[in-house]
Amino acid sequence: MLLKSFIFTVSILFSSLLQADISVEQNATDTTKEEALALEQTKAYEQQINTIESDISDENMWMKSYSSYLTSMDVKHNLDAIKKRIRYLAKHAKTDADKDELIALISKENILASQIEKLKGTNSSAPFSELITPPNIDKVPEINNPFDILTGLSMIKTLNANLEEYKKKRESLIDLISKLKQEKKIYKKILQLQPKNKKYAQIYRNKLAQLEMFEQALDTMNVTMNVYQKRLDIAEININKGIEKQVYRLIKIGMAILFVFFIFFLLKLVVKKYITDNERFYMANKIITFTNFIIIILILFFNYIENASYLVTILGFASAGIAIAMKDWFMSMLGWLVIVFGGSIHVGDRIRVDMGGMKYVGDVLDISLLRMTILEDITLTSIMHNRRAGRIIFIPNNYIFTQMIANYTHNSLKTVWDGVKITITFDSNHKKAMHIVKEITKKFSKGYTDITRKQLNKLRQHYNLKNTNVEPRIYSFIESNGIDIEAWYLTNAYATLTLRSVISTEILDAFREADDITIAYPTQKLHVSMQSESPSAHNGEIV
């Protein structure tokens, strides 16, 4: 009985021990499976982290700034340790090895200090100071004239562009923080799987510190953006007010100028209707145009110069330089005043100008503020000197003070003296020739003689005229080849060649019909004696 009980007890103990071994083996198997599963999940999480890191990229400006910050921190820690070691060796260095180490550390300190200088752009206390600081807002320009409107619009465009760039930086930071939060969650899950893994624990702490720093930068940026946005709004409001003021002023000035144009347009219509003389109409039209221009200039000056004394001061300082730099212009303007108000030259007058060794004869087409415009005509000057005509000649007004300008049609005069010359032989009847020439010139110039007589009577009111003889004048002179007969007569100032041609051909025909008048030209007379002489002897020979 006792044996049976013993045997039963032993069997129970053996079965219990066997069951315990089986349970231990089962637990070991379960632990191995859990570790394998955790390792597999960890690798999957690491793949997710790699994907996020590739999205962040090293080119991200925030990550580059943070990397520079970490680098600067490491350099500073190393530099502090080196300085501490240098201080210690400076006091306790005794051996040569200690002295060599001290020299090497001093050299290393200089190198690290230079690196710190290069990394100053990223401050250790504020690693993103350059990124979170908004662009500087320049002083808002005062809009005082229409040209400043462009400046104001350009500044508004620049400010808006800066704001958009700042917003993009902020959006980039928000996106980066979102990805860092995803990484933090993944590392947290990894730590739950592997709580004793020091590597992941350290990475997790670094990510928390990194995320905290970026979130602080975002908070600062949000506050800064609100302030920056309000400053931009104030600047834009001030610029828009200035632009609105200038636009309103431009509208008023435009209306005033249109009113002035309308008034002077009516004046030109009145002048055109009641002044029939072309010369007077031209002068009146010029005066109206010039007055219109002056009034518009005054309107602009008084609208854009707040204090008239500023203009006087500016002109006072600039007058010397302007007078030197624009001497010819001022002289031309002064010449214009002399021409217009002095009355020496009018539009339509025929003038001759000697300049640059050339002579130009033509009719005045226009007298502007700086120059006269003449149309060159075919005249004796063109034939004898220029051999061309029809050109438009521009004569600066200042030439009236320095160059020779002759007016053929000044005031009421429309005629000039012209003359022809013909040479007859010494044995010709010169008295008869002079009479013929006189009759011919009288006949063809009579109309111009009567006109000139009336014109000179009018001219007496302005000038002291002594010789008012307008009849043709005939002169004779003894020359080497014969007797020169010159006939001077009055002719149309605009068509001298026509009458000269007619009178010349008439005189030539009359002289040819006269038997006792011979036209002379360079000749030689040879006298030959036909009387014979006896030969003379020379040295015993007959020559």
Side-chain angles (χ1 to χ4, degrees):
M1 188 67 178
L2 291 172
L3 181 61
K4 289 181 178 180
S5 297
F6 176 76
I7 293 170
F8 179 74
T9 302
V10 171
S11 61
I12 290 174
L13 290 173
F14 179 77
S15 61
S16 297
L17 291 173
L18 183 62
Q19 185 68 33
D21 290 339
I22 294 171
S23 177
V24 170
E25 290 179 359
Q26 184 66 35
N27 290 335
T29 303
D30 292 341
T31 301
T32 303
K33 289 182 179 180
E34 289 178 359
E35 289 178 353
L37 181 62
L39 183 61
E40 185 178 353
Q41 290 181 351
T42 300
K43 289 182 179 180
Y45 287 144
E46 286 180 348
Q47 291 180 355
Q48 294 180 13
I49 290 172
N50 291 334
T51 302
I52 295 172
E53 288 291 339
S54 64
D55 291 340
I56 292 175
S57 176
D58 292 338
E59 295 299 324
N60 188 291
M61 55 185 171
W62 295 99
M63 293 302 297
K64 290 175 70 175
S65 178
Y66 184 72
S67 177
S68 299
Y69 162 74
L70 294 178
T71 302
S72 66
M73 292 297 294
D74 291 339
V75 172
K76 288 180 179 179
H77 289 317
N78 292 335
L79 186 61
D80 291 339
I82 289 172
K83 288 181 178 179
K84 184 177 179 181
R85 180 61 178 169
I86 289 173
R87 287 194 296 269
Y88 174 79
L89 291 176
K91 293 180 180 180
H92 301 91
K94 294 180 180 180
T95 64
D96 293 336
D98 292 340
K99 293 179 181 180
D100 291 340
E101 183 183 0
L102 177 62
I103 294 172
L105 289 175
I106 292 174
S107 177
K108 191 174 181 180
E109 180 190 15
N110 294 332
I111 295 173
L112 292 179
S114 64
Q115 291 182 3
I116 290 293
E117 290 294 328
K118 292 178 181 179
L119 292 171
K120 274 187 176 179
T122 310
N123 197 328
S124 61
S125 60
F128 313 115
S129 59
E130 292 183 356
L131 295 176
I132 64 178
T133 302
N136 186 34
I137 299 178
D138 296 330
K139 183 180 179 182
V140 177
E142 295 184 3
I143 312 297
N144 295 322
N145 55 68
F147 299 104
D148 290 338
I149 293 177
L150 299 177
T151 304
L153 293 175
S154 176
M155 186 172 183
I156 290 176
K157 185 177 179 180
T158 302
L159 293 176
N160 290 331
N162 291 338
L163 178 62
E164 290 299 322
E165 183 179 357
Y166 194 66
K167 286 181 178 179
K168 288 180 180 179
K169 290 181 181 179
R170 178 175 172 272
E171 291 173 359
S172 175
L173 179 59
I174 293 173
D175 184 61
L176 177 61
I177 291 175
S178 175
K179 289 182 172 59
L180 291 176
K181 285 182 177 179
Q182 294 177 16
E183 284 188 321
K184 186 191 76 170
K185 291 179 180 178
I186 294 172
Y187 277 115
K188 188 174 182 180
K189 292 178 180 178
I190 291 174
L191 286 177
Q192 289 176 355
L193 295 174
Q194 301 184 27
K196 297 181 180 181
N197 193 318
K198 295 182 179 180
K199 172 186 173 184
Y200 290 112
Q202 183 62 39
I203 295 175
Y204 181 72
R205 286 193 295 271
N206 293 339
K207 287 295 177 181
L208 289 178
Q210 186 182 27
L211 181 61
E212 182 181 1
M213 189 167 292
F214 281 119
E215 287 177 341
Q216 289 177 358
L218 180 61
D219 293 339
T220 304
M221 207 169 187
N222 289 332
V223 176
T224 304
M225 178 170 285
N226 292 331
V227 177
Y228 185 65
Q229 182 72 55
K230 291 179 181 178
R231 291 176 61 196
L232 287 183
D233 292 339
I234 294 172
E236 189 170 350
I237 289 172
N238 292 334
I239 293 174
N240 287 330
K241 282 184 179 179
I243 293 175
E244 183 180 354
K245 180 180 178 181
Q246 290 303 316
V247 170
Y248 180 67
R249 178 180 288 182
L250 281 175
I251 293 173
K252 290 196 300 181
I253 293 173
M255 293 178 63
I257 292 175
L258 287 176
F259 178 75
V260 171
F261 271 124
F262 178 73
I263 295 298
F264 281 94
F265 176 74
L266 293 180
L267 287 176
K268 287 187 176 183
L269 291 180
V270 172
V271 167
K272 185 176 181 180
K273 183 177 181 181
Y274 292 101
I275 298 179
T276 56
D277 183 71
N278 289 334
E279 182 178 332
R280 291 183 178 179
F281 170 74
Y282 176 83
M283 290 305 301
N285 192 41
K286 276 286 183 181
I287 292 172
I288 290 173
T289 303
F290 182 73
T291 306
N292 188 12
F293 176 76
I294 292 298
I295 291 176
I296 291 173
I297 292 296
L298 291 176
I299 289 173
L300 294 175
F301 267 128
F302 284 110
N303 273 278
Y304 288 107
I305 295 181
E306 303 295 337
N307 192 340
S309 62
Y310 293 163
L311 176 61
V312 177
T313 304
I314 293 171
L315 292 179
F317 281 111
S319 59
I322 293 174
I324 295 173
M326 305 178 66
K327 179 186 69 174
D328 292 337
W329 280 29
F330 280 127
M331 291 299 293
S332 292
M333 293 178 188
L334 182 60
W336 180 82
L337 293 174
V338 172
I339 292 170
V340 171
F341 295 102
S344 57
I345 299 174
H346 299 84
V347 172
D349 285 352
R350 170 152 294 193
I351 64 173
R352 189 189 79 180
V353 181
D354 298 348
M355 62 178 186
M358 296 292 292
K359 298 178 181 180
Y360 303 99
V361 178
D363 302 329
V364 179
L365 300 178
D366 181 51
I367 303 175
S368 64
L369 194 63
L370 298 177
R371 64 190 179 184
M372 292 181 291
T373 305
I374 67 173
L375 174 62
E376 188 182 23
D377 197 4
I378 300 175
T379 61
L380 188 61
T381 302
S382 304
I383 295 173
M384 301 298 294
H385 298 282
N386 298 340
R387 298 307 303 168
R388 59 178 54 87
R391 295 172 293 186
I392 301 295
I393 310 298
F394 300 100
I395 312 298
N397 292 335
N398 61 347
Y399 274 38
I400 197 171
F401 302 115
T402 58
Q403 301 293 329
M404 172 62 186
I405 299 180
N407 192 344
Y408 295 118
T409 55
H410 177 61
N411 208 327
S412 59
L413 288 176
K414 303 299 178 186
T415 57
V416 294
W417 286 95
D418 192 20
V420 296
K421 181 180 75 169
I422 190 167
T423 305
I424 60 176
T425 60
F426 288 111
D427 54 0
S428 298
N429 188 347
H430 65 279
K431 291 184 179 180
K432 181 180 178 180
M434 292 177 65
H435 178 72
I436 292 172
V437 171
K438 186 174 183 179
E439 291 301 321
I440 291 173
T441 53
K442 267 188 173 184
K443 175 183 176 182
F444 289 98
S445 65
K446 186 177 185 309
Y448 300 114
T449 301
D450 296 338
I451 292 173
T452 305
R453 185 178 290 109
K454 295 177 182 179
Q455 292 172 348
L456 290 177
N457 289 332
K458 292 181 181 179
L459 204 61
R460 286 177 180 274
Q461 301 174 5
H462 304 285
Y463 301 98
N464 182 17
L465 296 177
K466 294 182 179 180
N467 186 4
T468 58
N469 182 16
V470 294
E471 295 298 327
R473 303 174 189 181
I474 312 300
Y475 304 97
S476 62
F477 304 97
I478 298 175
E479 298 294 339
S480 60
N481 294 325
I483 301 174
D484 284 347
I485 298 176
E486 293 204 17
W488 287 86
Y489 52 89
L490 288 164
T491 182
N492 185 0
Y494 298 97
T496 57
L497 292 180
T498 302
L499 188 56
R500 172 189 279 256
S501 177
V502 172
I503 291 176
S504 297
T505 55
E506 289 292 329
I507 292 174
L508 182 61
D509 292 341
F511 281 5
R512 284 179 176 175
E513 292 177 359
D515 297 334
D516 54 351
I517 300 175
T518 303
I519 299 175
Y521 47 86
T523 59
Q524 291 181 349
K525 185 176 287 187
L526 180 63
H527 294 276
V528 180
S529 177
M530 300 303 294
Q531 183 178 1
S532 62
E533 296 180 359
S534 58
S536 59
H538 180 69
N539 295 329
E541 296 181 359
I542 301 299
V543 179

